[in-house]
Amino acid sequence: MSKTNKMSLGQLTLVTAVNMIGAGIIMLPSQLAQVGAVSVFAWIVSTVGAMSLAYAFAKCGLYSKKGGGLGGYAEYSFGKSGNFLVNFTYAISLIIANVAIAISIIGYVGEFMGIQLSPVMTAVSTIAVLWICTAGNFGGARLTGILSGNSFFGVLIPILVLIVAGIFFFSGDTYLTNWNVQSLPVSQTITDSIAVTIWGLLGMESACANMDAVENPEKNVPLAVLGGTVLAAIINISSTSIIFGIVPASELAASTAPFGLVFAKMFSPLVGQLINACFIVACVGSLCGWQFTVANVVRDSARAGFFPKFLIKGIPNGTPMAALISLTLVQTVMALMTISPSLNEQFMILLTLAVVTNLIPFFLSIGSLPRIMRLAGCEDRERMMANIAVVIASVYSLYACYASGSDAMVYGSLLTFAGWVIYGMMDRNDRQTIE
């Protein structure tokens, strides 16, 4: 790519922030309302942890000579099995996250239509949304691009409007009332909300995908991922903090469409409904794109020999049909297995499981960074800075796994163990023989 066509530092920073915010933000106020506005401390901890992760990923991308993204990084220290485990758990985490997004959509649909869904109906509706979004990809990448194209801005624009206009509706008394709704120690509130805040900042690893498209990548990529992470954190912290100054925490915690609720409080119920409709359309488009993305990840892994070969099968327009159908069947089972008394509870179960399975690829990838930099012949000072980032990121990731709860850890571990079995069954490396 010619220099004139490459992105500047500012452009890559913005792209990174946009990749991180995503459709996952739309349910965060309801989840954080369980703790209160004191969750801002969890945002601060997650921002530091996410910046360390982002810096480590940027260094991996700069010096790695292997393709395959996170899996390629992990291969330096953990071999092909590490590469497989990264791709396997990363795909699983995205599959779970998409179910959580589908549940978010159902929450907003319920508020828009003014209906209260039972747990079973919530699960059935979630499954229907997943299959509709999967079917939306049958027309190929071009149709998927049209459906998901600018859908994200349907979420981002209302959030930016909230940040600007919400200042005029903000009440200090309401904010103080919402500060610590359970009167817990600050350390406990951080633990209780850390999984939610890291969910709001996931995606920092995607920034490295644009490494070849930016000027002076050695300098600008680390700066962009750090700046993008800070920008995403500012948007998340600002929007949730302003909401806590407008709507009582008890109402937020009970809402399945918190952004629609706050706009109804600020302006009118009609405006709240328009925001609900906007989020529904935007998130459906986003989910179509994510289903297509996960299916391509699965198909590419099958081509690499990590997954069964039948997942390679597609149709003439390039749609990874076998992978799409298979992952949606898995998501159908997940939606049924996680049926809970309330939509918010079901969303939280999936959120914590998605966080734990997403962190496993992070451990393997950043764990290889010291070796990657040694092989690249990096200077001692640069290696020392990278090692500090790895330590901070690792401690934060371990804490986030712990804070996600025992259930998420158990199920995440079982999925990881299942991955080892699948790798053993799929391994076709005959270079070593038994003596």
Side-chain angles (χ1 to χ4, degrees):
M1 185 180 296
S2 66
K3 186 174 181 178
T4 55
N5 290 327
K6 290 190 174 183
M7 286 189 287
S8 65
L9 172 60
Q11 290 170 328
L12 182 59
T13 299
L14 182 60
V15 168
T16 303
V18 166
N19 287 340
M20 291 178 66
I21 298 171
I25 192 176
I26 68 172
M27 290 294 290
L28 294 192
S30 293
Q31 302 303 322
L32 294 175
Q34 311 291 334
V35 173
V38 70
S39 58
V40 68
F41 292 116
W43 278 119
I44 294 171
V45 172
S46 285
T47 301
V48 174
M51 287 176 64
S52 300
L53 283 165
Y55 183 84
F57 290 137
K59 290 298 183 181
C60 284
L62 283 172
Y63 295 114
S64 173
K65 303 300 181 184
K66 298 180 183 292
L70 300 183
Y73 306 158
E75 191 172 329
Y76 276 88
S77 292
F78 305 100
K80 288 291 184 182
S81 59
N83 190 331
F84 163 81
L85 196 58
V86 166
N87 284 287
F88 175 77
T89 51
Y90 192 62
I92 291 295
S93 71
L94 293 179
I95 289 171
I96 297 169
N98 284 2
V99 181
I101 292 174
I103 288 176
S104 302
I105 294 171
I106 293 303
Y108 277 77
V109 169
E111 290 290 339
F112 182 76
M113 298 181 66
I115 56 176
Q116 186 73 33
L117 295 175
S118 68
V120 173
M121 284 305 300
T122 296
V124 171
S125 301
T126 299
I127 293 168
V129 168
L130 288 165
W131 281 102
I132 289 170
C133 290
T134 293
N137 290 298
F138 291 170
R142 182 176 178 82
L143 178 58
T144 299
I146 293 173
L147 292 173
S148 64
N150 295 312
S151 61
F152 169 75
F153 292 99
V155 173
L156 181 61
I157 292 174
I159 291 173
L160 293 179
V161 170
L162 169 64
I163 293 172
V164 174
I167 296 173
F168 300 99
F169 298 89
F170 185 89
S171 166
D173 290 339
T174 301
Y175 186 82
L176 290 175
T177 302
N178 289 339
W179 175 248
N180 189 345
V181 295
Q182 298 185 51
S183 300
L184 296 172
V186 172
S187 59
Q188 184 62 48
T189 64
I190 294 175
T191 298
D192 289 348
S193 51
I194 202 75
V196 179
T197 55
I198 192 175
W199 165 270
L201 294 174
L202 288 177
M204 78 288 290
E205 74 283 356
S206 66
C208 301
N210 296 299
M211 192 160 295
D212 293 333
V214 66
E215 302 170 0
N216 193 9
E218 291 80 6
K219 176 183 177 182
N220 287 340
V221 170
L223 290 175
V225 294
L226 293 176
T229 302
V230 171
L231 181 57
I234 289 172
I235 291 174
N236 283 320
I237 294 171
S238 300
S239 59
T240 52
S241 295
I242 287 174
I243 288 176
F244 280 127
I246 299 174
V247 183
S250 57
E251 293 184 32
L252 282 172
S255 176
T256 60
F259 281 95
L261 173 62
V262 70
F263 272 89
K265 290 279 187 180
M266 288 166 55
F267 301 109
S268 70
L270 176 60
V271 174
Q273 287 291 62
L274 289 174
I275 294 298
N276 288 336
C278 184
F279 274 30
I280 291 167
V281 173
C283 290
V284 166
S286 176
L287 185 56
C288 284
W290 274 113
Q291 289 288 83
F292 193 81
T293 298
V294 180
N296 275 303
V297 169
V298 170
R299 180 172 64 177
D300 291 344
S301 295
R303 284 172 175 162
F306 291 147
F307 293 159
K309 293 296 182 183
F310 80 89
L311 293 170
I312 299 174
K313 295 180 181 178
I315 54 179
N317 64 8
T319 299
M321 185 64 73
L324 270 172
I325 297 298
S326 298
L327 73 88
T328 311
L329 286 171
V330 172
Q331 290 169 327
T332 298
V333 174
M334 285 182 176
L336 293 172
M337 289 179 62
T338 56
I339 291 178
S340 302
S342 71
L343 183 146
N344 280 326
E345 185 175 338
Q346 186 173 8
F347 175 81
M348 193 62 187
I349 291 171
L350 290 163
L351 181 151
T352 53
L353 186 54
V355 166
V356 169
T357 51
N358 203 299
L359 288 172
I360 294 170
F362 292 180
F363 285 123
L364 293 169
S365 300
I366 64 175
S368 295
L369 179 56
R371 178 174 174 79
I372 291 172
M373 297 189 72
R374 283 198 305 271
L375 293 175
C378 296
E379 296 180 357
D380 290 345
R381 184 178 181 278
E382 186 177 7
R383 287 167 53 190
M384 183 182 70
M385 292 294 296
N387 289 340
I388 292 172
V390 168
V391 170
I392 296 173
S394 298
V395 170
Y396 167 71
S397 298
L398 287 168
Y399 175 55
C401 284
Y402 161 76
S404 295
S406 57
D407 286 346
M409 282 297 297
V410 168
Y411 293 127
S413 298
L414 291 174
L415 287 170
T416 304
F417 299 156
W420 286 335
V421 175
I422 293 171
Y423 178 75
M425 296 175 66
M426 297 298 300
D427 187 19
R428 296 293 184 267
N429 184 0
D430 297 324
R431 289 175 294 177
Q432 296 179 356
T433 58
I434 299 175
E435 297 181 357

